[in-house]
Amino acid sequence: MFAKLTDPVVAIATAPGRGAVGIVRISGANIDSVIAAVCSRKLKPREATYLPFLANDGSAIDHGLAIYFPAPHSYTGEEVLELQAHGGPVVLQLLLARCIEAMPGLRVALPGEFTQRAFMNDKMDLAQAEAIADLIDASTEAAARSASRSLAGEFSREIHTLRDALIHLRMLVEATLDFPEEEIDFLQKADASGQLIRLQSTLAAVMKRTRQGALLREGIKVVIAGQPNAGKSSLLNALAGAELAIVTAVPGTTRDVVTQTIQIEGVPLHVIDTAGLRETSDEVEQIGIERAWGQIAAADAVLFLHDLTRFRIPSYAEGDVVIARELLRTLSRGAPVIDVWNKCDLEPGAQSVAPPLPQAPTGSRGLSLSAKTGAGVDALRAMLLEMAGWQAAPEGIYIARARHVFALARVDAHLVNAQEHLEGQARFLDLLAEELRLAQGALNEITGEFSSDDLLGVIFSSFCIGK
């Protein structure tokens, strides 16, 4: 992806569109020609200078602030020039073109290239670099604060602590392998087994916080499903606290997917309202129903909505049973299902007791509520958080990604194997050493101390242009 990281690069570093201020950023070696051509004077390091930004003919493109950061004391670790102008897109494009004109070899930066240069120049590790993108994309206050902690290095320090303990244990094992004739049992004397147990305990705590951090970043996809007129759109509106979906008494009103991201205790929930599930000859409605099943198949959780005012009607009850059976076939990933009995305000005595659903999906849970009055909606929110695995956010939680969770799971698996080899006879010490080596490799992938070029390309390509 990044073939020439030594090229000087330039990009508009602020979001597209109009704004009060826009920034053009340049990074690379020997950018004096740009400074001389655009600013027409030398700049003091790290000092904002108000001046005209000059076109090729000497006229002013705009007036603004220029800041020069000499290497290595800059965001990328290279020489960096920031031109802060008025935030009109035409002005910024003129400045961008002028910079490229003033310096042969200067090219437009690819998405994430500034941050990748910072990573390559040891200004931050990979987990911190990812935290920058997560901070920009944070959809809740809790996610933003957690991303800021990761950017400050809290997550990386946890990983380094694990790695250092693992390296020490590897050293003991390698010493035993190198000197098998020694009478002293290095592993027993150094309490290698106890070190490994403590390492696993520390890892378990980190994994728990990492799963919480990944949940803050990713959220969960919750699909509302059920027959027409069960109140799916009303429930979406109740959860979101806004009138997002059209609600009418006409069956089949919702014919397409309606998605809204809400937050509960800082955790983003991507709630999806779908078309009512039923047999129909309406071609448009059929398409909506097919899309609904597609969303259900990819869901992290399903709210199976039932109508308390109709559940005693045999045809309606049979329709729910048919949907329940189809859910069992569709939810191959084992996504949990919550049976939600709506309109409890119209059924006296049903608010605290949810009727059982014959042949409901295995492991499903139920509760009654009223999407109209809001009764029971808070209980549903709490159940969704519990189902997602969220616990009250501990102080100092850091943002994390799915790849971090998977990497730590691999570390855990390697340490379990290592424990088995350590408890065996000495002939298994070479396998023990290999498992510890693999565990360290998985840890190193998190901070980027050992990562493939393909992985780096995927990570940095997801960044916004100018970052």
Side-chain angles (χ1 to χ4, degrees):
M1 176 185 168
F2 298 109
K4 297 181 179 179
L5 283 172
T6 56
D7 290 346
V9 292
V10 61
I12 298 172
T14 42
R18 290 175 173 81
V21 177
I23 298 175
V24 173
R25 176 183 291 151
I26 303 166
S27 180
N30 304 317
I31 60 176
D32 294 343
S33 59
V34 178
I35 297 174
V38 178
C39 303
S40 189
R41 71 177 72 172
K42 289 187 176 181
L43 300 175
K44 293 182 180 179
R46 294 175 296 281
E47 183 176 298
T49 304
Y50 179 76
L51 45 72
F53 302 133
L54 302 180
N56 188 38
D57 60 4
S59 62
I61 297 172
D62 193 9
H63 288 71
L65 297 176
I67 310 175
Y68 170 63
F69 301 90
H73 306 294
S74 69
Y75 177 74
T76 63
E78 303 171 331
E79 292 182 55
V80 170
L81 174 66
E82 287 195 355
L83 304 176
Q84 301 182 9
H86 292 95
V90 174
V91 172
L92 296 177
Q93 287 295 336
L94 287 172
L95 266 181
L96 182 70
R98 174 60 176 140
C99 291
I100 293 174
E101 176 189 46
M103 184 176 182
L106 182 65
R107 63 173 173 83
V108 176
L110 296 171
E113 188 166 1
F114 288 107
T115 303
Q116 192 189 28
R117 289 177 179 229
F119 165 70
M120 298 299 291
N121 292 325
D122 295 324
K123 303 298 289 187
M124 62 184 70
D125 63 31
L126 191 56
Q128 289 175 292
E130 289 172 307
I132 293 172
D134 295 336
L135 184 59
I136 293 171
D137 294 335
S139 58
T140 68
E141 179 182 346
R145 291 182 182 278
S146 298
S148 181
R149 294 188 188 100
S150 287
L151 178 56
E154 290 191 20
F155 181 38
S156 300
R157 282 190 287 274
E158 297 260 20
I159 299 303
H160 290 153
T161 298
L162 286 170
R163 186 199 60 187
D164 291 345
L166 189 52
I167 289 174
H168 186 263
L169 188 55
R170 286 189 65 193
M171 177 190 68
L172 295 174
V173 175
E174 297 292 345
T176 302
L177 286 171
D178 289 341
F179 303 101
E181 70 282 357
E182 294 289 337
E183 296 181 359
I184 299 175
D185 186 343
F186 289 115
L187 297 184
Q188 184 176 3
K189 184 177 180 180
D191 188 25
S193 179
Q195 288 190 42
L196 181 55
I197 291 172
R198 289 189 292 274
L199 180 58
Q200 289 175 298
S201 177
T202 303
L203 174 64
V206 173
M207 289 178 68
K208 182 178 180 180
R209 287 193 292 273
T210 303
R211 283 192 293 267
Q212 298 286 87
L215 187 58
L216 267 184
R217 180 184 184 272
E218 308 288 346
I220 61 171
K221 180 179 179 181
V222 180
V223 174
I224 306 174
Q227 296 189 59
N229 271 18
K232 297 184 297 299
S233 297
S234 296
L235 181 56
L236 171 63
N237 293 341
L239 286 170
E243 296 298 319
L244 303 173
I246 299 173
V247 177
T248 74
V250 179
T253 298
T254 301
R255 297 195 171 198
D256 204 351
V257 171
V258 179
T259 303
Q260 177 67 25
T261 297
I262 65 173
Q263 60 169 302
I264 304 175
E265 294 186 19
V267 178
L269 268 68
H270 313 293
V271 185
I272 301 170
D273 179 24
T274 59
L277 304 175
R278 66 173 177 177
E279 294 291 332
T280 179
S281 59
D282 187 307
E283 185 177 353
V284 176
E285 190 177 355
Q286 285 178 349
I287 294 173
I289 292 171
E290 289 175 3
R291 291 181 177 180
W293 282 112
Q295 293 292 334
I296 290 169
D300 295 314
V302 174
L303 302 182
F304 186 7
L305 204 60
H306 314 280
D307 187 342
L308 271 170
T309 64
R310 293 188 287 166
F311 82 98
R312 293 188 182 89
I313 302 173
S315 60
Y316 180 82
E318 178 58 29
D320 270 3
V321 170
V322 170
I323 294 172
R325 290 170 178 165
E326 188 62 29
L327 282 173
L328 281 173
R329 288 191 291 268
T330 304
L331 295 172
S332 57
R333 297 188 304 128
V337 176
I338 297 179
D339 287 302
V340 180
W341 295 86
N342 190 27
K343 306 182 184 179
C344 70
D345 54 313
L346 302 178
E347 282 288 317
Q351 185 165 342
S352 60
V353 181
L357 176 66
Q359 303 182 44
T362 302
S364 63
R365 303 170 61 181
L367 81 164
S368 297
L369 55 74
S370 170
K372 181 178 180 180
T373 66
V377 173
D378 285 343
L380 177 60
R381 292 191 179 103
M383 188 176 289
L384 282 170
L385 283 182
E386 179 188 351
M387 189 172 56
W390 179 252
Q391 300 172 356
E395 194 64 32
I397 191 172
Y398 39 73
I399 207 76
R401 296 189 170 202
R403 80 170 191 91
H404 303 151
V405 176
F406 296 145
L408 289 174
R410 286 165 47 212
V411 175
D412 184 54
H414 289 308
L415 293 186
V416 169
N417 292 339
Q419 186 72 45
E420 294 177 357
H421 298 313
L422 182 60
E423 293 173 352
Q425 300 298 319
R427 62 178 178 270
F428 296 117
L429 288 184
D430 54 343
L431 298 178
L432 168 61
E434 178 64 10
E435 292 294 346
L436 295 179
R437 185 188 68 81
L438 292 172
Q440 184 182 342
L443 280 179
N444 287 341
E445 288 179 14
I446 295 176
T447 54
E449 291 166 77
F450 173 76
S451 297
S452 68
D453 292 338
D454 289 341
L455 174 61
L456 294 179
V458 170
I459 289 172
F460 287 106
S461 65
S462 66
F463 281 49
C464 55
I465 294 175
K467 201 63 183 178

